[in-house]
mmCIF file of all heavy atoms in Angstrom:
data_model
loop_
_atom_site.group_PDB
_atom_site.id
_atom_site.type_symbol
_atom_site.label_atom_id
_atom_site.label_comp_id
_atom_site.label_asym_id
_atom_site.label_seq_id
_atom_site.Cartn_x
_atom_site.Cartn_y
_atom_site.Cartn_z
ATOM 1 N N LEU A 30 -18.390 27.555 -6.567
ATOM 2 C CA LEU A 30 -19.285 28.650 -6.187
ATOM 3 C C LEU A 30 -18.510 29.600 -5.284
ATOM 4 O O LEU A 30 -18.021 29.200 -4.224
ATOM 5 C CB LEU A 30 -20.504 28.094 -5.441
ATOM 6 C CG LEU A 30 -21.478 29.100 -4.829
ATOM 7 C CD1 LEU A 30 -22.162 29.941 -5.911
ATOM 8 C CD2 LEU A 30 -22.533 28.371 -3.973
ATOM 9 N N ALA A 31 -18.373 30.846 -5.718
ATOM 10 C CA ALA A 31 -17.563 31.811 -4.964
ATOM 11 C C ALA A 31 -18.256 33.167 -4.926
ATOM 12 O O ALA A 31 -19.127 33.475 -5.750
ATOM 13 C CB ALA A 31 -16.178 31.947 -5.586
ATOM 14 N N MET A 32 -17.840 33.985 -3.966
ATOM 15 C CA MET A 32 -18.422 35.310 -3.808
ATOM 16 C C MET A 32 -17.725 36.316 -4.729
ATOM 17 O O MET A 32 -16.496 36.389 -4.772
ATOM 18 C CB MET A 32 -18.303 35.780 -2.358
ATOM 19 C CG MET A 32 -18.991 34.879 -1.338
ATOM 20 S SD MET A 32 -20.731 34.526 -1.729
ATOM 21 C CE MET A 32 -21.451 36.162 -1.557
ATOM 22 N N SER A 33 -18.523 37.076 -5.466
ATOM 23 C CA SER A 33 -17.983 38.181 -6.269
ATOM 24 C C SER A 33 -17.643 39.333 -5.327
ATOM 25 O O SER A 33 -18.193 39.436 -4.228
ATOM 26 C CB SER A 33 -19.015 38.646 -7.294
ATOM 27 O OG SER A 33 -19.434 37.588 -8.117
ATOM 28 N N ASN A 34 -16.754 40.204 -5.767
ATOM 29 C CA ASN A 34 -16.429 41.360 -4.940
ATOM 30 C C ASN A 34 -15.971 42.532 -5.799
ATOM 31 O O ASN A 34 -15.744 42.387 -6.996
ATOM 32 C CB ASN A 34 -15.356 41.006 -3.897
ATOM 33 C CG ASN A 34 -14.051 40.571 -4.522
ATOM 34 O OD1 ASN A 34 -13.542 41.204 -5.453
ATOM 35 N ND2 ASN A 34 -13.471 39.480 -4.011
ATOM 36 N N SER A 35 -15.849 43.678 -5.166
ATOM 37 C CA SER A 35 -15.341 44.873 -5.848
ATOM 38 C C SER A 35 -13.982 45.258 -5.278
ATOM 39 O O SER A 35 -13.524 46.389 -5.429
ATOM 40 C CB SER A 35 -16.327 46.040 -5.686
ATOM 41 O OG SER A 35 -16.568 46.312 -4.314
ATOM 42 N N GLY A 36 -13.348 44.296 -4.615
ATOM 43 C CA GLY A 36 -12.070 44.515 -3.958
ATOM 44 C C GLY A 36 -11.996 43.648 -2.716
ATOM 45 O O GLY A 36 -12.964 42.959 -2.368
ATOM 46 N N PRO A 37 -10.880 43.657 -2.007
ATOM 47 C CA PRO A 37 -10.740 42.846 -0.794
ATOM 48 C C PRO A 37 -11.817 43.156 0.244
ATOM 49 O O PRO A 37 -12.170 44.314 0.468
ATOM 50 C CB PRO A 37 -9.351 43.236 -0.275
ATOM 51 C CG PRO A 37 -8.616 43.710 -1.488
ATOM 52 C CD PRO A 37 -9.651 44.395 -2.335
ATOM 53 N N ASP A 38 -12.360 42.098 0.844
ATOM 54 C CA ASP A 38 -13.308 42.222 1.959
ATOM 55 C C ASP A 38 -14.577 42.997 1.605
ATOM 56 O O ASP A 38 -15.086 43.778 2.415
ATOM 57 C CB ASP A 38 -12.621 42.878 3.166
ATOM 58 C CG ASP A 38 -11.412 42.090 3.656
ATOM 59 O OD1 ASP A 38 -11.518 40.849 3.734
ATOM 60 O OD2 ASP A 38 -10.368 42.703 3.940
ATOM 61 N N THR A 39 -15.105 42.778 0.397
ATOM 62 C CA THR A 39 -16.326 43.473 -0.021
ATOM 63 C C THR A 39 -17.396 42.482 -0.497
ATOM 64 O O THR A 39 -18.193 42.792 -1.373
ATOM 65 C CB THR A 39 -16.039 44.483 -1.146
ATOM 66 O OG1 THR A 39 -15.453 43.799 -2.267
ATOM 67 C CG2 THR A 39 -15.099 45.581 -0.675
ATOM 68 N N ASN A 40 -17.423 41.293 0.083
ATOM 69 C CA ASN A 40 -18.435 40.309 -0.304
ATOM 70 C C ASN A 40 -19.804 40.735 0.195
ATOM 71 O O ASN A 40 -19.941 41.305 1.276
ATOM 72 C CB ASN A 40 -18.081 38.938 0.280
ATOM 73 C CG ASN A 40 -16.687 38.489 -0.108
ATOM 74 O OD1 ASN A 40 -16.287 38.634 -1.257
ATOM 75 N ND2 ASN A 40 -15.935 37.962 0.844
ATOM 76 N N SER A 41 -20.820 40.439 -0.598
ATOM 77 C CA SER A 41 -22.187 40.787 -0.197
ATOM 78 C C SER A 41 -23.135 39.662 -0.632
ATOM 79 O O SER A 41 -23.163 38.607 -0.008
ATOM 80 C CB SER A 41 -22.590 42.132 -0.801
ATOM 81 O OG SER A 41 -23.806 42.580 -0.260
ATOM 82 N N SER A 42 -23.880 39.870 -1.707
ATOM 83 C CA SER A 42 -24.798 38.822 -2.178
ATOM 84 C C SER A 42 -24.369 38.231 -3.511
ATOM 85 O O SER A 42 -24.764 37.118 -3.860
ATOM 86 C CB SER A 42 -26.213 39.395 -2.323
ATOM 87 O OG SER A 42 -26.241 40.425 -3.307
ATOM 88 N N GLN A 43 -23.581 38.970 -4.280
ATOM 89 C CA GLN A 43 -23.218 38.506 -5.614
ATOM 90 C C GLN A 43 -22.270 37.308 -5.552
ATOM 91 O O GLN A 43 -21.380 37.258 -4.707
ATOM 92 C CB GLN A 43 -22.564 39.632 -6.410
ATOM 93 C CG GLN A 43 -23.505 40.779 -6.751
ATOM 94 C CD GLN A 43 -22.851 41.762 -7.709
ATOM 95 O OE1 GLN A 43 -22.206 41.360 -8.687
ATOM 96 N NE2 GLN A 43 -23.015 43.041 -7.436
ATOM 97 N N PHE A 44 -22.478 36.376 -6.478
ATOM 98 C CA PHE A 44 -21.642 35.184 -6.539
ATOM 99 C C PHE A 44 -21.368 34.842 -7.997
ATOM 100 O O PHE A 44 -22.008 35.370 -8.911
ATOM 101 C CB PHE A 44 -22.345 33.999 -5.854
ATOM 102 C CG PHE A 44 -23.665 33.630 -6.490
ATOM 103 C CD1 PHE A 44 -23.708 32.813 -7.617
ATOM 104 C CD2 PHE A 44 -24.855 34.115 -5.968
ATOM 105 C CE1 PHE A 44 -24.917 32.493 -8.218
ATOM 106 C CE2 PHE A 44 -26.070 33.795 -6.570
ATOM 107 C CZ PHE A 44 -26.106 32.982 -7.691
ATOM 108 N N PHE A 45 -20.424 33.949 -8.203
ATOM 109 C CA PHE A 45 -20.201 33.427 -9.547
ATOM 110 C C PHE A 45 -19.919 31.934 -9.468
ATOM 111 O O PHE A 45 -19.514 31.407 -8.418
ATOM 112 C CB PHE A 45 -19.074 34.170 -10.279
ATOM 113 C CG PHE A 45 -17.708 34.045 -9.659
ATOM 114 C CD1 PHE A 45 -16.825 33.036 -10.055
ATOM 115 C CD2 PHE A 45 -17.279 34.946 -8.681
ATOM 116 C CE1 PHE A 45 -15.568 32.931 -9.511
ATOM 117 C CE2 PHE A 45 -16.006 34.852 -8.132
ATOM 118 C CZ PHE A 45 -15.151 33.837 -8.545
ATOM 119 N N ILE A 46 -20.160 31.255 -10.587
ATOM 120 C CA ILE A 46 -19.956 29.811 -10.680
ATOM 121 C C ILE A 46 -19.063 29.550 -11.883
ATOM 122 O O ILE A 46 -19.352 30.039 -12.982
ATOM 123 C CB ILE A 46 -21.293 29.059 -10.867
ATOM 124 C CG1 ILE A 46 -22.348 29.531 -9.861
ATOM 125 C CG2 ILE A 46 -21.075 27.552 -10.745
ATOM 126 C CD1 ILE A 46 -23.770 29.113 -10.227
ATOM 127 N N THR A 47 -18.006 28.800 -11.688
ATOM 128 C CA THR A 47 -17.067 28.552 -12.783
ATOM 129 C C THR A 47 -17.492 27.341 -13.615
ATOM 130 O O THR A 47 -17.980 26.343 -13.088
ATOM 131 C CB THR A 47 -15.650 28.317 -12.249
ATOM 132 O OG1 THR A 47 -15.649 27.180 -11.368
ATOM 133 C CG2 THR A 47 -15.151 29.540 -11.492
ATOM 134 N N MET A 48 -17.278 27.445 -14.930
ATOM 135 C CA MET A 48 -17.573 26.337 -15.845
ATOM 136 C C MET A 48 -16.336 25.497 -16.133
ATOM 137 O O MET A 48 -16.427 24.370 -16.605
ATOM 138 C CB MET A 48 -18.104 26.885 -17.172
ATOM 139 C CG MET A 48 -19.363 27.706 -17.069
ATOM 140 S SD MET A 48 -19.862 28.251 -18.721
ATOM 141 C CE MET A 48 -20.979 29.583 -18.306
ATOM 142 N N GLU A 49 -15.169 26.086 -15.900
ATOM 143 C CA GLU A 49 -13.894 25.421 -16.145
ATOM 144 C C GLU A 49 -12.958 25.709 -14.982
ATOM 145 O O GLU A 49 -13.215 26.588 -14.162
ATOM 146 C CB GLU A 49 -13.254 25.941 -17.450
ATOM 147 C CG GLU A 49 -14.110 25.807 -18.693
ATOM 148 C CD GLU A 49 -14.247 24.376 -19.168
ATOM 149 O OE1 GLU A 49 -13.461 23.521 -18.683
ATOM 150 O OE2 GLU A 49 -15.113 24.103 -20.014
ATOM 151 N N ALA A 50 -11.866 24.963 -14.913
ATOM 152 C CA ALA A 50 -10.821 25.292 -13.946
ATOM 153 C C ALA A 50 -10.283 26.676 -14.280
ATOM 154 O O ALA A 50 -10.033 26.994 -15.443
ATOM 155 C CB ALA A 50 -9.707 24.260 -14.001
ATOM 156 N N MET A 51 -10.114 27.527 -13.277
ATOM 157 C CA MET A 51 -9.637 28.897 -13.492
ATOM 158 C C MET A 51 -8.599 29.227 -12.425
ATOM 159 O O MET A 51 -8.850 29.997 -11.487
ATOM 160 C CB MET A 51 -10.816 29.875 -13.463
ATOM 161 C CG MET A 51 -11.903 29.554 -14.480
ATOM 162 S SD MET A 51 -13.261 30.773 -14.537
ATOM 163 C CE MET A 51 -12.451 32.109 -15.430
ATOM 164 N N LYS A 52 -7.417 28.644 -12.575
ATOM 165 C CA LYS A 52 -6.360 28.783 -11.574
ATOM 166 C C LYS A 52 -5.929 30.232 -11.361
ATOM 167 O O LYS A 52 -5.392 30.573 -10.302
ATOM 168 C CB LYS A 52 -5.160 27.928 -11.974
ATOM 169 C CG LYS A 52 -5.451 26.432 -11.980
ATOM 170 C CD LYS A 52 -4.208 25.627 -12.330
ATOM 171 C CE LYS A 52 -4.508 24.129 -12.328
ATOM 172 N NZ LYS A 52 -3.311 23.309 -12.627
ATOM 173 N N GLU A 53 -6.174 31.072 -12.355
ATOM 174 C CA GLU A 53 -5.784 32.477 -12.221
ATOM 175 C C GLU A 53 -6.598 33.210 -11.151
ATOM 176 O O GLU A 53 -6.244 34.317 -10.737
ATOM 177 C CB GLU A 53 -5.932 33.201 -13.567
ATOM 178 C CG GLU A 53 -7.356 33.309 -14.076
ATOM 179 C CD GLU A 53 -7.823 32.127 -14.907
ATOM 180 O OE1 GLU A 53 -7.193 31.045 -14.785
ATOM 181 O OE2 GLU A 53 -8.801 32.275 -15.658
ATOM 182 N N LEU A 54 -7.676 32.590 -10.692
ATOM 183 C CA LEU A 54 -8.515 33.206 -9.658
ATOM 184 C C LEU A 54 -8.094 32.809 -8.244
ATOM 185 O O LEU A 54 -8.608 33.359 -7.272
ATOM 186 C CB LEU A 54 -9.986 32.821 -9.874
ATOM 187 C CG LEU A 54 -10.619 33.212 -11.210
ATOM 188 C CD1 LEU A 54 -12.092 32.817 -11.234
ATOM 189 C CD2 LEU A 54 -10.472 34.705 -11.476
ATOM 190 N N ASN A 55 -7.191 31.865 -8.127
ATOM 191 C CA ASN A 55 -6.774 31.381 -6.810
ATOM 192 C C ASN A 55 -6.263 32.515 -5.922
ATOM 193 O O ASN A 55 -5.460 33.344 -6.343
ATOM 194 C CB ASN A 55 -5.682 30.316 -6.950
ATOM 195 C CG ASN A 55 -6.229 28.993 -7.445
ATOM 196 O OD1 ASN A 55 -7.423 28.740 -7.381
ATOM 197 N ND2 ASN A 55 -5.352 28.134 -7.945
ATOM 198 N N GLY A 56 -6.782 32.531 -4.696
ATOM 199 C CA GLY A 56 -6.349 33.528 -3.725
ATOM 200 C C GLY A 56 -7.013 34.876 -3.845
ATOM 201 O O GLY A 56 -6.728 35.782 -3.060
ATOM 202 N N LYS A 57 -7.924 35.029 -4.812
ATOM 203 C CA LYS A 57 -8.540 36.334 -5.047
ATOM 204 C C LYS A 57 -9.994 36.416 -4.588
ATOM 205 O O LYS A 57 -10.507 37.525 -4.396
ATOM 206 C CB LYS A 57 -8.464 36.677 -6.542
ATOM 207 C CG LYS A 57 -7.043 36.804 -7.072
ATOM 208 C CD LYS A 57 -7.024 37.090 -8.564
ATOM 209 C CE LYS A 57 -5.602 37.195 -9.089
ATOM 210 N NZ LYS A 57 -5.564 37.431 -10.559
ATOM 211 N N TYR A 58 -10.643 35.271 -4.436
ATOM 212 C CA TYR A 58 -12.064 35.262 -4.085
ATOM 213 C C TYR A 58 -12.360 34.220 -3.011
ATOM 214 O O TYR A 58 -11.662 33.217 -2.891
ATOM 215 C CB TYR A 58 -12.919 34.968 -5.328
ATOM 216 C CG TYR A 58 -12.776 36.012 -6.420
ATOM 217 C CD1 TYR A 58 -11.828 35.855 -7.435
ATOM 218 C CD2 TYR A 58 -13.571 37.154 -6.420
ATOM 219 C CE1 TYR A 58 -11.680 36.810 -8.420
ATOM 220 C CE2 TYR A 58 -13.426 38.116 -7.408
ATOM 221 C CZ TYR A 58 -12.478 37.942 -8.402
ATOM 222 O OH TYR A 58 -12.331 38.896 -9.373
ATOM 223 N N THR A 59 -13.420 34.469 -2.249
ATOM 224 C CA THR A 59 -13.846 33.549 -1.204
ATOM 225 C C THR A 59 -14.723 32.458 -1.802
ATOM 226 O O THR A 59 -15.785 32.735 -2.372
ATOM 227 C CB THR A 59 -14.624 34.287 -0.104
ATOM 228 O OG1 THR A 59 -13.762 35.226 0.543
ATOM 229 C CG2 THR A 59 -15.180 33.311 0.928
ATOM 230 N N ILE A 60 -14.295 31.229 -1.664
ATOM 231 C CA ILE A 60 -15.051 30.074 -2.162
ATOM 232 C C ILE A 60 -15.997 29.580 -1.071
ATOM 233 O O ILE A 60 -15.583 29.359 0.068
ATOM 234 C CB ILE A 60 -14.098 28.940 -2.583
ATOM 235 C CG1 ILE A 60 -13.238 29.394 -3.769
ATOM 236 C CG2 ILE A 60 -14.873 27.671 -2.927
ATOM 237 C CD1 ILE A 60 -12.149 28.406 -4.154
ATOM 238 N N ILE A 61 -17.266 29.394 -1.423
ATOM 239 C CA ILE A 61 -18.238 28.918 -0.436
ATOM 240 C C ILE A 61 -18.832 27.557 -0.788
ATOM 241 O O ILE A 61 -19.547 26.960 0.024
ATOM 242 C CB ILE A 61 -19.385 29.930 -0.225
ATOM 243 C CG1 ILE A 61 -20.202 30.114 -1.509
ATOM 244 C CG2 ILE A 61 -18.847 31.259 0.290
ATOM 245 C CD1 ILE A 61 -21.483 30.929 -1.293
ATOM 246 N N GLY A 62 -18.551 27.049 -1.996
ATOM 247 C CA GLY A 62 -19.132 25.759 -2.349
ATOM 248 C C GLY A 62 -18.603 25.206 -3.657
ATOM 249 O O GLY A 62 -17.774 25.833 -4.337
ATOM 250 N N GLY A 63 -19.080 24.021 -4.007
ATOM 251 C CA GLY A 63 -18.712 23.371 -5.257
ATOM 252 C C GLY A 63 -19.809 22.425 -5.690
ATOM 253 O O GLY A 63 -20.581 21.928 -4.855
ATOM 254 N N ILE A 64 -19.905 22.172 -6.987
ATOM 255 C CA ILE A 64 -20.997 21.338 -7.510
ATOM 256 C C ILE A 64 -20.927 19.923 -6.957
ATOM 257 O O ILE A 64 -19.861 19.407 -6.627
ATOM 258 C CB ILE A 64 -20.992 21.289 -9.048
ATOM 259 C CG1 ILE A 64 -19.632 20.797 -9.579
ATOM 260 C CG2 ILE A 64 -21.381 22.627 -9.631
ATOM 261 C CD1 ILE A 64 -19.637 20.495 -11.057
#
């Protein structure tokens, strides 16, 4: 469970949940939880 954004430091309410491992996202989004 991670926060969606429109660029660095733009987190608000939108989030996304991954269905598979997605290593290409590492370092790009703030993670707030996991199943």
Side-chain angles (χ1 to χ4, degrees):
L30 173 64
M32 300 307 294
S33 304
N34 62 46
S35 57
D38 301 317
T39 58
N40 305 317
S41 189
S42 63
Q43 293 188 44
F44 60 83
F45 64 92
I46 312 164
T47 60
M48 300 181 198
E49 303 288 346
M51 303 184 76
K52 295 182 180 182
E53 65 272 20
L54 301 183
N55 286 342
K57 297 178 181 178
Y58 298 92
T59 296
I60 296 173
I61 64 171
I64 56 170

